[in-house]
Amino acid sequence: MEKSILITGSTDGIGKETAIELASRGWRVIVHGRNQVRVDKTIWDIRNIIPNSNALGCYGDFRSLNDVDKMADEIIGSTDKLDVLLNNAGVLMKSFELSDEGFEMTFAVNHLAHFYLTGRLLPLLLKTKWARVINVSSGIHSNNINLNRFLLPEDFESVKNYSDSKLCNILYTNKMACLLVGESISINSMHPGVINTKMLKNTWGAVGSDLKEGVDREVFLVSSNDLDGISGKYIDSFKIVKSSKASYDIPLQDELWRLSLKMILDSGLKNPYSAYL
């Protein structure tokens, strides 16, 4: 049976190339981007390379939780099940900006949007015999964090906020892995490598590897039989490794969970996890 995957942030970079690779392997790929023009262009590119591919699209700006909410409704309404959710989208902000709901942008896009989207899509993931959620973190995720600093413009530091948000990806992964024990969903986080994406070039220059290395790592997380039943792990260079000490801090995981839910509720949205966890 054809397997399906939603890849957030898949209209360029590693996400787009991963979508192309999986489409070539017969996967039903749901492409996500900020707007319809970018999504339609990516679907056209995939079908031009792989004429018989089954590529669909969805769009939503992760700077807005309401956009994420509408996107989730559309996916649930048009898709019977989802085998894999690859939370790949990410930003590194150069200056302090707020999301539509008033949250620091790096945190809002890299963590909060994926936290909310994953909860909304649990009904589709639970329909699969064994589903996977993959959160793309970074090798430069923080060793410590004060979650309150996301709320203060005077505490903003571009790379520090990015590294903190990538720690949040792992904290969330580890918390969810515990909550999902007994369910048919595994959840893991990963380092995609130091890859020459637009983000890397614009921040540090072209000091990384070719996109293919990042694609190979994401495809491994998506499809490797070696990861069947493996959950709550951090994977780098195709191996399970230790993430920072802070990522295993259970009170910190709980604090992030409470803060994330509060932000969702304060935005006028419902707790997407209440019916399942």
Side-chain angles (χ1 to χ4, degrees):
M1 182 180 293
E2 182 183 54
K3 289 192 173 183
S4 60
I5 180 170
L6 167 61
I7 308 174
T8 69
S10 48
T11 56
D12 63 12
I14 299 172
K16 179 176 180 178
E17 295 304 316
T18 298
I20 292 171
E21 175 62 26
L22 290 172
S24 74
R25 299 184 182 201
W27 280 70
R28 180 175 182 258
V29 176
I30 305 174
V31 172
H32 159 259
R34 286 197 303 260
N35 59 64
Q36 187 170 359
V37 172
R38 292 166 65 92
V39 170
D40 288 349
K41 171 66 166 58
T42 302
I43 292 173
W44 187 92
D45 289 343
I46 293 173
R47 290 175 178 169
N48 189 48
I49 297 168
I50 310 147
N52 296 322
S53 60
N54 188 357
L56 308 173
C58 64
Y59 58 94
D61 192 331
F62 278 14
R63 296 175 295 184
S64 165
L65 287 173
N66 280 296
D67 249 33
V68 177
D69 192 46
K70 292 174 184 175
M71 185 182 90
D73 281 340
E74 291 174 3
I75 294 169
I76 292 168
S78 62
T79 306
D80 293 333
K81 67 179 182 66
L82 193 62
D83 294 280
V84 179
L85 171 59
L86 175 53
N87 287 321
N88 167 82
V91 297
L92 191 157
M93 302 301 297
K94 297 293 187 181
S95 59
F96 184 85
E97 294 183 32
L98 295 176
S99 69
D100 284 7
E101 287 78 24
F103 308 123
E104 192 277 318
M105 193 72 77
T106 312
F107 178 85
V109 172
N110 293 358
H111 166 69
L112 193 59
H114 287 120
F115 174 89
Y116 184 65
L117 178 66
T118 303
R120 287 294 324 275
L121 296 183
L122 278 176
L124 293 179
L125 292 163
L126 287 166
K127 290 181 179 179
T128 300
K129 184 177 180 180
W130 194 261
R132 296 183 182 185
V133 176
I134 301 157
N135 293 321
V136 178
S137 179
S138 171
I140 64 166
H141 66 272
S142 295
N143 293 312
N144 56 74
I145 190 171
N146 175 3
L147 293 174
N148 291 324
R149 70 182 301 276
F150 283 114
L151 308 175
L152 304 172
E154 60 268 25
D155 286 347
F156 177 85
E157 297 176 39
S158 178
V159 174
K160 173 61 174 170
N161 277 51
Y162 176 79
S163 297
D164 282 358
S165 73
K166 293 288 121 180
L167 173 57
C168 288
N169 293 150
I170 307 175
L171 288 165
Y172 167 61
T173 298
N174 294 345
K175 172 72 173 179
M176 274 292 285
C178 292
L179 293 173
L180 288 169
V181 169
E183 300 288 353
S184 59
I185 303 175
S186 67
I187 180 167
N188 294 292
S189 53
M190 68 170 292
H191 172 44
V194 182
I195 309 299
N196 282 327
T197 59
K198 287 191 297 185
M199 181 189 296
L200 186 80
K201 293 176 183 177
N202 291 338
T203 307
W204 294 281
V207 296
S209 303
D210 186 77
L211 282 177
K212 186 178 185 303
E213 180 180 323
V215 172
D216 289 345
R217 291 186 183 204
E218 290 198 344
V219 170
F220 173 75
L221 267 289
V222 169
S223 60
S224 174
N225 292 332
D226 293 343
L227 297 176
D228 286 348
I230 301 296
S231 194
K233 304 300 182 183
Y234 176 70
I235 297 165
D236 182 7
S237 300
F238 312 100
K239 296 179 293 186
I240 297 172
V241 300
K242 289 288 187 182
S243 48
S244 68
K245 184 178 179 180
S247 66
Y248 301 101
D249 185 328
I250 293 175
L252 186 58
Q253 294 171 20
D254 293 342
E255 182 184 357
L256 175 63
W257 184 271
R258 288 192 298 268
L259 175 64
S260 303
L261 281 182
K262 183 178 185 302
M263 289 177 166
I264 296 296
L265 297 174
D266 287 349
S267 300
L269 299 168
K270 295 180 180 179
N271 176 357
Y273 295 92
S274 60
Y276 308 99
L277 303 175

